[in-house]
Amino acid sequence: MCGRMAMTLPHEAMVELFAATPANDLPEVPNYNVCPTVQIPVVTAEAGLRQYRPMRWGFIPKWYKKPNGGPLLINARAETIAEKPAFREACRARRCLVPCTGFYEWERDSDDKPLPWFVARSDGAPLVMAGIWQDWERDGERLTTCAVVTTEANDAMARIHHRIPVILTPDQWALWLGETGKGASTIMHAPPEDALHFDRVSTDVNSNRAKGAALIEPLAE
């Protein structure tokens, strides 16, 4: 799964990378401890144009009577995304890219203590995850929300956790956004074994209040 991430990439660089038009209300970066329910920048393709815009991380189904009216849906499983009532419409019509520096995942030691890892691309490039999004509105309140798509972990990730975000390469961005026709289901799989780099990091990040660049620094061996 993906339950926490780091976003340190300058908005100007991301706008250029994705050839997108930026919104005026983007969340502040860098943020080394991005938690669910906060605003994150994502890339969408609407009316033939790419937009770089903020969304609430935590997908809200249209039938929720309030934002916390049911389970917090920060991830959507690739294996069932086209069938689940909460996600199937968004999967077909509202897909997005979620760029970040990397994400955190936790393993458990022999005493069941959560040990955090920071996962980033091996080549140092931005890590771009597949996402879905939709607008939610009720009683005058309107939110644009998103979830990260996950799939079964590859062997490298499985040592830590059995799920992994669907990570897209630049040649897959247009297909996921629906700019080059159908076939997005063919790219919902784990990345190659050597695509990601894993670093054990401080347990400071176990607190959602922790801040600062030290959170992603590898622990000394």
Side-chain angles (χ1 to χ4, degrees):
M1 63 179 294
C2 177
R4 207 89 66 79
M5 62 183 88
M7 291 183 167
T8 69
L9 311 168
H11 293 319
E12 297 83 359
M14 294 299 95
V15 166
E16 182 176 355
L17 177 65
F18 295 107
T21 300
N24 294 323
D25 53 348
L26 293 165
E28 185 177 344
V29 291
N31 185 344
Y32 293 89
N33 194 4
V34 178
C35 303
T37 75
V38 305
Q39 296 285 306
I40 62 172
V42 307
V43 179
T44 61
E46 303 167 68
L49 298 174
R50 288 186 180 180
Q51 305 289 331
Y52 186 69
R53 50 185 295 207
M55 293 186 184
R56 175 193 188 266
W57 182 21
F59 193 93
I60 305 178
K62 292 182 177 180
W63 59 82
Y64 278 23
K65 294 182 179 180
K66 52 186 179 179
N68 60 351
L72 180 61
L73 304 177
I74 59 173
N75 296 152
R77 294 175 66 94
E79 297 88 344
T80 57
I81 193 172
E83 305 164 6
K84 292 287 187 180
F87 302 132
R88 61 191 178 199
E89 183 181 344
C91 178
R92 291 193 298 269
R94 292 183 300 278
R95 298 191 295 270
C96 62
L97 307 176
V98 183
C100 66
T101 309
F103 64 93
Y104 298 96
E105 192 53 85
W106 283 259
E107 67 172 333
R108 298 278 177 171
D109 66 11
S110 58
D111 296 321
D112 202 36
K113 179 182 178 181
L115 303 177
W117 291 78
F118 185 66
V119 185
R121 282 184 57 105
S122 299
D123 59 8
L127 190 151
V128 180
M129 300 179 288
I132 56 172
W133 68 277
Q134 77 173 11
D135 292 323
W136 175 88
E137 187 171 8
R138 186 68 63 103
D139 299 329
E141 183 177 10
R142 182 184 176 98
L143 295 171
T144 302
T145 70
C146 66
V148 172
V149 181
T150 67
T151 189
E152 185 176 352
N154 57 24
D155 288 344
M157 184 70 193
R159 298 180 294 111
I160 303 170
H161 197 274
H162 66 284
R163 303 293 294 176
I164 191 172
V166 171
I167 298 167
L168 304 175
T169 53
D171 61 302
Q172 297 172 325
W173 296 347
L175 180 57
W176 184 254
L177 290 174
E179 297 171 328
T180 55
K182 299 181 179 180
S185 62
T186 64
I187 56 177
M188 288 195 293
H189 51 71
E193 292 292 304
D194 59 354
L196 301 177
H197 183 72
F198 302 79
D199 284 312
R200 270 275 289 116
V201 293
S202 169
T203 54
D204 289 349
V205 78
N206 291 0
S207 168
N208 58 14
R209 298 180 181 179
K211 297 180 180 180
L215 295 178
I216 66 172
E217 290 297 318
L219 291 180
E221 295 183 0

